[in-house]
Amino acid sequence: MEILNGVTWANDIKAIFIGDDETDEDAMRALSGLGITFRVGKPNIKTCASHRLPNPAAVKTFLEWAIEYVESKKKKKTSRRNQGLIRRRDH
């Protein structure tokens, strides 16, 4: 995600949508430019999605990675906040 959307992607992207059939294309069109969309399936299928995932296993891998990424960012943010509080108490 960082390679495709920059290091601040988690702050800039407000929606991630993953779909696997024609009924999901309306959401992909609506989110164009507002979020990241993924079409799951064969690469020869026409889509409005901004990205593709080849199969449900890739969706699972992506979601696990995204959760881990967001959680690690939360921990860093909390750690920085706590460090600031500790410094203030020492002074």
Side-chain angles (χ1 to χ4, degrees):
M1 296 300 290
E2 286 182 10
I3 292 169
L4 296 172
N5 301 292
V7 293
T8 62
W9 78 268
N11 297 328
D12 300 336
I13 303 300
K14 301 302 178 201
I16 297 174
F17 183 86
I18 302 171
D20 66 351
D21 63 31
E22 186 61 34
T23 62
D24 299 317
E25 290 295 322
D26 289 337
M28 293 176 195
R29 273 189 290 281
L31 289 169
S32 180
L34 302 173
I36 297 174
T37 55
F38 292 89
R39 175 70 184 243
V40 181
K42 297 178 182 174
N44 62 334
I45 298 170
K46 187 177 177 183
T47 184
C48 294
S50 56
H51 301 82
R52 291 182 182 268
L53 293 169
N55 53 47
V59 173
K60 181 179 185 282
T61 299
F62 170 75
L63 292 174
E64 289 170 344
W65 172 85
I67 290 166
E68 187 176 304
Y69 182 89
V70 170
E71 290 300 319
S72 73
K73 290 295 184 182
K74 284 181 185 177
K75 286 178 186 174
K76 286 180 184 177
K77 190 175 185 178
T78 301
S79 176
R80 277 185 253 146
R81 244 187 269 146
N82 289 343
Q83 288 173 358
L85 290 173
I86 292 167
R87 277 189 230 131
R88 287 185 201 129
R89 288 181 192 155
D90 291 342
H91 293 259

